């Protein structure tokens, strides 16, 4: 199996957060802990004009993101207990809950905010690409739940061939930091 990645078609995303909620449900996450998050970007304003009344130039769009199972994952060297590993066969990055001591250094090291600290368990955890479902031939639940089919997954090279190589839009961390395995079709109003 090759390096896995996510594809996000930002122009299809309505910001409904079904992906985030289904991930939360599958992973039994407490309030405030989200392995997948949906951010909104908003620009513009309403302007009162004498001749035309109220006009607006508002732009709003959304971005759904989890762990990017990066090629150069900053979370791995940050962990003092060696709890985080990257699988050779799939490139999936996981946190071993038996080894994690809750130091939260991965939380600080990841530019994408992927590892989430659980203060009840004193441990950090994050997206594991739903590997238990993938091993049964099923899709990750964030992918199968999206009503707009805005998220896809698979070998990242295939995704890049199909959709291009954009992995960063304005407002996101520089892709050169961790080389995230994510492919984005930006919203028409998003800046690169
Ligand atoms: S997104 Fe963050 S947690 Fe996930 S592999 Fe990259 S650096 Fe690590
Ligand atoms: S792959 Fe699974 S764990 Fe990762 S964001 Fe999607 S639903 Fe959550
Ligand atoms: S479920 Fe799909 S449409 Fe809804 S927020 Fe997530 S990616 Fe966007």
């Amino acid at each position: 199996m090759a390096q896995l990645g996510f594809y996000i078609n930002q122009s299809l995303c309505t910001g409904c957060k079904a992906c985030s909620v289904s991930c939360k449900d599958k992973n039994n996450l407490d309030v405030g802990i989200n392995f997948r998050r949906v951010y909104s970007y908003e620009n513009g304003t309403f302007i009162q004009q004498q001749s035309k009344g109220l006009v607006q130039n508002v732009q709003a769009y959304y971005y759904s993101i989890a762990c990017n199972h990066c090629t150069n994952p900053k979370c791995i060297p940050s962990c003092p207990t060696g709890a985080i590993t990257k699988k050779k066969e799939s490139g999936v990055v996981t946190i071993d809950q038996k080894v994690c001591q809750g130091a939260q250094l991965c939380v600080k090291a990841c530019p994408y905010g992927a590892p989430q600290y659980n203060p009840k368990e004193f441990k950090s955890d994050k997206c594991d690409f739903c590997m238990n479902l993938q091993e049964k031939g099923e899709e990750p639940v964030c992918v199968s739940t999206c009503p707009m089919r805005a998220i896809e997954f698979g070998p990242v090279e295939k995704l890049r061939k199909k959709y291009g190589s954009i992995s960063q839009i304005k407002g996101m961390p520089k892709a050169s930091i961790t080389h995230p395995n994510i492919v984005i079709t930006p919203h028409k109003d998003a800046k690169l």
Side-chain angles (χ1 to χ4, degrees), residues 65 110-113 167-178 180:
I65 191 165
C110 171
Y112 298 97
S167 56
Q168 178 193 340
I169 56 166
K170 195 174 175 192
M172 285 177 72
K174 280 192 178 143
S176 57
I177 303 171
T178 66

Side-chain angles (χ1 to χ4, degrees), residues 41-47 55-61 188-189:
Y41 295 76
E42 288 140 24
N43 292 312
T45 188
F46 287 84
I47 306 154
V55 293
Q56 55 88 13
N57 59 359
V58 173
Q59 298 172 339
Y61 48 93
K188 66 179 175 45
D189 294 328

Side-chain angles (χ1 to χ4, degrees), residues 6 23 26-27 35-36 66 127-130 140-142:
F6 285 113
C23 171
K26 191 226 171 212
N27 291 292
F35 290 174
R36 179 169 283 282
C127 163
D128 64 356
F129 229 134
C130 285
V141 293
C142 54

Side-chain angles (χ1 to χ4, degrees), residues 66-76 84 93 95 106 109-115 126 178 180:
C67 175
N68 301 310
H69 302 281
C70 306
T71 297
N72 181 22
K74 295 294 179 193
C75 53
I76 291 181
I84 312 177
V93 174
I95 305 179
C106 59
C110 171
Y112 298 97
K126 62 167 200 67
T178 66

Side-chain angles (χ1 to χ4, degrees), residues 132-162:
N132 60 341
L133 296 182
Q134 289 201 50
E135 278 157 14
K136 291 190 282 182
E138 295 174 29
E139 294 180 328
V141 293
C142 54
V143 173
S144 57
T145 311
C146 176
M148 301 304 294
R149 309 305 293 163
I151 313 177
E152 291 179 31
F153 77 107
V156 74
E157 279 314 320
K158 270 195 183 170
L159 295 174
R160 286 181 182 133
K161 270 196 194 125
K162 207 166 157 189

